[in-house]
Amino acid sequence: MNRPLPTPIGHSACPHDCPSTCALEVDLIDGGIGRVRGSKDLDYTAGVICAKVARYAERIHNPNRLLHPLRRKGEKGNPDWRDASAWERIGWDEALDIVAQAFLDAEAKDGAEAVWPYHYAGTMGLVQRDGIHRLRHAKRYSRQFDTICTNPAWAGYAAGTGRLAGPDPREMARSDLVVIWGTNAVATQINVMTHAIKARKERGARIAVIDVYRNETMKQADIALCLRPGTDAALACAVMHVCFRDGHADRDYLARYTDCPEELEAHLATRTPEWAAEITGLGVDEIEAFALAVGTTKRTYFRLGYGFTRSRNGAVSMHAASSIAAVTGAWQHEGGGAFHTNGAIFNLDKSLIEGHDRLDPSVRRLDQSRIGAILCGEPEVLFGGPPVTAMLIQNTNPMSVAPEQDKVRAGFARDDLFVCVHEQVMTETAAMADIVLPATMFLEHDDIYRGGGHQHILLGPKLVEPPGECRTNHAVFAGLADRLGVDHPGFGMSEREHIDWMLQKSGRGTLADLETAKWIDCQPDFRTSHFLDGFGHADGKFHFRPDWPRVDAPNNGPMGPWQGLPELPDHCTVIEEADGAHPFRLATSPARSFLNSSFNETPSSRAKEGGRPEVMIHPEDAAGHGIADGGLVRLGNRRGAVTLHARLFDGVRRGVLVSEGVWPNAAFADGKGINTLTGADPVAPFGGAAFHDNRVWIEAVAPA
């Protein structure tokens, strides 16, 4: 009897912008893929991945994938790439010739800075994501300052620790209290829940969740704190007040490891639970109980996410939350401390990938989040330089995900702007392009990844052939470089050669070594990761008093109202508070089945998110505004207005609205997406977009 042959399994790493960066096992079936699973051998992934990546076969075999280069024939914005009146199929050579000539024309007219290669984190692979900088630097095109995601969080964490690193995230499983703050981990980094639940099962640990609505993570909490958006620092200050008041502050630790504990204690004397209750909306008893749990549990692990930093006071909130672990001395203990990201531990040499030898610091660096203002030609964001008249866009969909969408749309509609978009499906941004190039997905090319939420470097080798004429980002860089007359060795190397060069230059072995091992564990030793030999500042102390404009975090100089940031942890009142004309505060939180605008094109993900964009509103607020469950509503502010359906939900606070996910703009009744309402004004101290910090009005839409 002939037994069926076992299904071949390939090993890879998830490329998406999630701190979990899961190690994957992929069933390889007839030249394509089948089931995708988390690797049980990598102890952070621990065999668990999110459902949307488990369904990746639906995405990679999507019948709507772009397969051939296209040239626009009709008006900008037509998303139907099969419409022969709107798009025509062309060859790769012709497409790249057109793009290169457009870049040369823009440079001849206005200088090299008129060309802006624009990218972000649609793939987190270091070769495919970051090689665009090599072309940028070699041609002296406008640089990009990445602000759309990480800046407030990184600045706030580094303000205290001096370094973007922390306790081994696997230690959550050895904690007695895991505090999940500002991240809906069930939806956005499932492995946090893996280790927190393991601690609960094996140690009897408690899980505390702090967020602005009762999401799936909060439903699993032993301690659930649902506060008003932008008030996290007030809660943190009250917790520290109680720890000092009730003798739970570790004074020996404070004296040895922190900069000004006496000043902090005096400052917090008035930051009582009663004070914080007025600001946060929490009950005094809730704050007292949480503070007691933190103060009496030495092995408290603060897992601090990005969500609560996407407010205009986000850096201050992150700093205040991480300060609690210094007050209690939790950093000293296994399963204790505060963790945000491990970005500083990998020390990978990306100089060849990014072309650092051609970097000219005098070339302007345009703010990614302010793409709308930049494309609309606002002088202050162009730094006195020329208008942007040509773009190459990879790994991002700014027509959907960037703030101030009305400005973004107006900028892309300019007749004098040439745009090439390299994409996997016809996104809103691709629909505005002059040339669209079909892109590979992660299993169709070689790359290397590092886990911000853990400590591993992972290999993601090519496992299957791409469909149609899809090409890698790296191939596009090289093809354009050749036509633009760029002479740099990085363009003549393969992806595998780049990976091998980087590993060897970084002291991480060779590509052959990584192919055998599949990943490298880079976690520093216990003393280093818990800062027991000193924090990352020159004085070795945790800083309760940050020097905000000099915090060691990525920056383009101080931005936003940084002069008004508090000297010590405190509630900072720079958020968009509700007012008479805008009585609600809106958070645009992540959806479980989408990742920004990725996956919002797949039928299963859209179905699991309810099939349409919605906004959650408390039933009592809905009744006061004549809003029915499932009814159409209109939200608006000075930036614009959107129309979507209401969902009555008592898991949001009165006066708070939550709309999950970056749905396609076309899914909204008026064709305008949720980021029409979000602001691009820079967050202090170093910029960023405050996606969860919006005051809005709401009204019911009368049936037609």
Side-chain angles (χ1 to χ4, degrees):
M1 179 177 180
N2 293 325
R3 295 182 178 179
L5 294 174
T7 301
I9 296 174
H11 299 276
S12 189
C14 181
H16 289 282
D17 189 8
C18 162
S20 287
T21 316
C22 294
L24 304 177
E25 295 179 354
V26 183
D27 287 349
L28 305 177
I29 303 173
D30 297 329
I33 71 164
R35 185 181 174 192
V36 180
R37 299 175 296 278
S39 172
K40 294 180 180 179
D41 295 332
L42 192 145
D43 52 5
Y44 186 76
T45 301
V48 179
I49 61 171
C50 66
K52 55 185 173 286
V53 172
R55 301 191 302 270
Y56 218 87
E58 179 185 24
R59 190 162 194 271
I60 202 168
H61 300 306
N62 187 339
N64 291 318
R65 278 193 70 174
L66 295 168
L67 300 177
H68 310 285
L70 301 171
R71 172 167 51 195
R72 181 171 54 82
K73 291 171 59 179
E75 295 295 318
K76 290 184 177 183
N78 189 328
D80 186 359
W81 57 268
R82 295 181 176 88
D83 183 349
S85 68
W87 301 93
E88 65 175 332
R89 176 178 169 180
I90 60 175
W92 266 99
D93 285 340
E94 184 180 5
L96 292 175
D97 287 345
I98 292 169
V99 176
Q101 190 59 54
F103 285 10
L104 291 170
D105 291 345
E107 181 178 358
K109 181 176 184 293
D110 292 310
E113 288 184 339
V115 181
W116 189 20
Y118 188 90
H119 84 303
Y120 202 50
T123 176
M124 296 292 281
L126 304 185
V127 178
Q128 306 293 351
R129 183 190 67 191
D130 298 332
I132 197 170
H133 295 305
R134 188 167 65 254
L135 181 66
R136 181 196 314 277
H137 298 330
K139 286 294 296 177
R140 301 183 77 253
Y141 294 153
S142 284
R143 296 187 292 152
Q144 177 175 300
F145 180 43
D146 297 339
T147 56
I148 209 163
C149 178
T150 61
N151 283 45
W154 288 5
Y157 189 81
T161 63
R163 189 166 185 260
L164 290 173
D168 187 334
R170 293 168 293 197
E171 288 184 28
M172 282 184 283
R174 298 189 286 278
S175 177
D176 294 323
L177 174 61
V178 180
V179 180
I180 301 172
W181 197 329
T183 176
N184 183 3
V186 168
T188 63
Q189 43 182 319
I190 188 65
N191 306 98
V192 167
M193 300 308 299
T194 299
H195 297 282
I197 290 172
K198 182 178 179 182
R200 174 191 277 164
K201 289 181 177 178
E202 295 183 359
R203 300 180 56 83
R206 288 175 291 176
I207 299 173
V209 176
I210 304 167
D211 216 312
V212 298
Y213 69 117
R214 193 172 71 241
N215 52 40
E216 292 303 313
T217 306
M218 189 172 285
K219 290 176 184 177
Q220 298 197 36
D222 303 292
I223 303 170
L225 300 177
C226 183
L227 40 63
R228 293 178 181 134
T231 64
D232 304 80
L235 172 61
C237 287
V239 170
M240 291 186 283
H241 167 95
V242 171
C243 288
F244 277 115
R245 183 196 70 193
D246 294 351
H248 302 310
D250 188 329
R251 296 188 182 277
D252 291 339
Y253 181 87
L254 286 162
R256 181 177 178 185
Y257 286 102
T258 70
D259 61 342
C260 57
E262 295 85 2
E263 292 177 58
L264 177 69
E265 182 175 10
H267 164 72
L268 294 174
T270 58
R271 273 50 176 183
T272 64
E274 290 77 12
W275 166 85
E278 287 293 319
I279 296 169
T280 63
L282 296 170
V284 172
D285 56 340
E286 291 181 281
I287 298 171
E288 290 276 6
F290 176 57
L292 178 63
V294 168
T296 57
T297 309
K298 292 302 183 184
R299 289 178 182 244
T300 296
Y301 194 107
F302 291 87
R303 184 58 178 88
L304 306 175
Y306 286 97
F308 74 122
T309 71
R310 292 196 169 106
S311 293
R312 288 168 178 79
N313 59 7
V316 171
S317 294
M318 174 63 82
H319 175 245
S322 63
S323 294
I324 301 173
V327 170
T328 65
W331 294 99
Q332 303 167 92
H333 306 284
E334 184 181 40
F339 178 83
H340 172 60
T341 182
N342 249 336
I345 73 172
F346 298 107
N347 299 315
L348 289 172
D349 185 338
K350 296 197 295 176
S351 59
L352 183 61
I353 290 175
E354 298 187 357
H356 291 176
D357 58 326
R358 304 291 178 86
L359 190 158
D360 182 350
S362 70
V363 174
R364 70 180 178 183
R365 190 156 65 144
L366 300 177
D367 186 337
Q368 172 196 29
S369 295
R370 307 201 72 187
I371 183 174
I374 288 165
L375 295 186
C376 287
E378 296 182 14
E380 72 275 10
V381 295
L382 292 172
F383 299 105
V388 170
T389 58
M391 300 181 74
L392 168 65
I393 299 176
Q394 292 182 321
N395 314 326
T396 188
N397 182 16
M399 276 285 295
S400 177
V401 304
E404 294 187 356
Q405 278 287 299
D406 280 356
K407 281 188 180 180
V408 176
R409 186 177 295 105
F412 272 104
R414 284 170 36 206
D415 290 333
D416 66 333
L417 175 66
F418 174 87
V419 176
C420 171
V421 174
H422 186 205
E423 253 299 356
Q424 298 164 346
V425 295
M426 183 61 80
T427 64
E428 294 93 338
T429 306
M432 299 296 285
D434 298 279
I435 297 291
V436 176
L437 304 175
T440 51
M441 291 190 181
F442 78 105
L443 296 172
E444 300 161 354
H445 57 237
D446 293 303
D447 216 331
I448 188 170
Y449 305 87
R450 59 188 183 188
H454 57 79
Q455 54 282 98
H456 293 89
I457 295 169
L458 305 95
L459 183 65
K462 180 179 177 179
L463 297 179
V464 296
E465 291 297 323
E469 298 180 66
C470 295
R471 291 190 185 178
T472 69
N473 289 2
H474 181 70
V476 171
F477 311 146
L480 288 176
D482 181 60
R483 289 163 173 80
L484 293 165
V486 174
D487 181 20
H488 189 282
F491 293 114
M493 297 168 61
S494 70
E495 288 98 330
R496 290 173 60 82
E497 288 171 330
H498 271 287
I499 294 169
D500 191 52
W501 186 96
M502 181 177 63
L503 288 170
Q504 292 195 51
K505 292 292 272 189
S506 307
R508 295 291 187 185
T510 66
L511 172 58
D513 297 333
L514 185 54
E515 284 182 306
T516 300
K518 295 182 288 194
W519 48 73
I520 304 168
D521 189 337
C522 302
Q523 183 65 41
D525 63 81
F526 182 87
R527 292 191 64 83
T528 300
S529 59
H530 283 257
F531 300 106
L532 298 184
D533 295 318
F535 285 88
H537 297 292
D539 61 3
K541 306 286 189 179
F542 183 95
H543 284 190
F544 293 128
R545 184 187 293 279
D547 187 355
W548 284 111
R550 294 179 178 82
V551 167
D552 187 13
N555 69 86
N556 210 21
M559 300 168 69
W562 62 269
Q563 297 95 333
L565 298 181
E567 293 185 358
L568 292 165
D570 209 349
H571 175 60
C572 186
T573 58
V574 296
I575 57 177
E576 269 196 3
E577 294 280 13
D579 59 23
H582 308 86
F584 289 89
R585 302 202 62 229
L586 169 69
T588 59
S589 301
R592 186 172 187 173
S593 298
F594 301 158
L595 205 164
N596 298 319
S597 67
S598 295
F599 298 93
N600 73 13
E601 79 283 0
T602 57
S604 67
S605 286
R606 293 179 69 145
K608 287 180 179 296
E609 293 303 322
R612 65 188 186 188
E614 296 179 328
V615 61
M616 302 177 204
I617 182 172
H618 194 280
E620 294 179 24
D621 285 332
H625 286 74
I627 293 169
D629 190 30
L632 269 179
V633 295
R634 192 163 170 82
L635 310 181
N637 57 23
R638 61 183 175 83
R639 302 179 192 105
V642 303
T643 304
L644 69 171
H645 290 83
R647 188 200 319 171
L648 273 56
F649 179 49
D650 63 4
V652 294
R653 303 192 68 90
R654 296 289 306 275
V656 175
L657 306 175
V658 175
S659 183
E660 290 183 329
V662 183
W663 282 84
N665 296 342
F668 290 77
D670 55 6
K672 290 188 174 184
I674 199 67
N675 281 313
T676 301
L677 305 174
T678 58
D681 49 301
V683 173
F686 298 140
F691 287 106
H692 301 342
D693 186 0
N694 312 283
R695 58 178 165 229
V696 297
W697 47 259
I698 188 170
E699 63 184 16
V701 175

